[in-house]
Amino acid sequence: MAMREFLVSLHMNKILVTGGCGYIGAHTIADLIENGFEVISADNNSRSNENILEAVEKITGKSVKNYKVDLCIYDDTVAIFQENPISQASFILRPINQWASRLKSFALF
């Protein structure tokens, strides 16, 4: 069974993509929409631009709602899940070299 059929069989129709306004996130959103899923985005736009979702809409014909929030803020994150019956979240991570520099600072403790 293909992944799409598996997800549909689990009634997973609405997916939250974090980092949806970035390069990888926008391509992920376009692919999910083209495969029949409803998608919302959460991106604080610290390294991206919300205008990319307009390009996704031109390609797919569907608009994507973006929540401009920092997911580290608990109340903002909970509000997304309260407003949307999300069945799955896709987390787009920063490149590993950005995290490596942060990990080095933890090693000092």
Side-chain angles (χ1 to χ4, degrees):
M1 177 185 312
M3 179 60 82
R4 182 185 187 292
E5 287 83 15
F6 174 72
L7 291 174
V8 170
S9 72
L10 295 175
H11 305 288
M12 294 184 176
N13 295 333
K14 185 179 272 191
I15 298 177
L16 167 66
V17 176
T18 65
C21 296
Y23 179 81
I24 295 171
H27 282 80
T28 301
I29 288 172
D31 186 56
L32 288 167
I33 290 172
E34 289 175 352
N35 282 285
F37 295 94
E38 184 180 350
V39 180
I40 61 171
S41 169
D43 195 318
N44 66 3
N45 299 119
S46 64
R47 297 171 135 337
S48 60
N49 189 325
E50 199 168 5
N51 294 337
I52 197 165
L53 294 179
E54 293 173 10
V56 170
E57 183 176 357
K58 286 180 184 176
I59 293 168
T60 64
K62 306 259 178 160
S63 65
V64 177
K65 180 171 183 157
N66 181 58
Y67 291 88
K68 189 173 179 179
V69 299
D70 183 342
L71 293 175
C72 293
I73 300 172
Y74 178 80
D75 291 337
D76 292 344
T77 303
V78 169
I80 294 171
F81 285 91
Q82 287 175 336
E83 189 174 321
N84 300 277
I86 297 166
S87 53
Q88 175 133 352
S90 170
F91 296 95
I92 308 301
L93 299 177
R94 291 184 186 179
I96 193 67
N97 62 346
Q98 293 175 1
W99 290 105
S101 63
R102 291 184 181 195
L103 290 175
K104 288 178 189 174
S105 65
F106 287 119
L108 297 174
F109 292 103

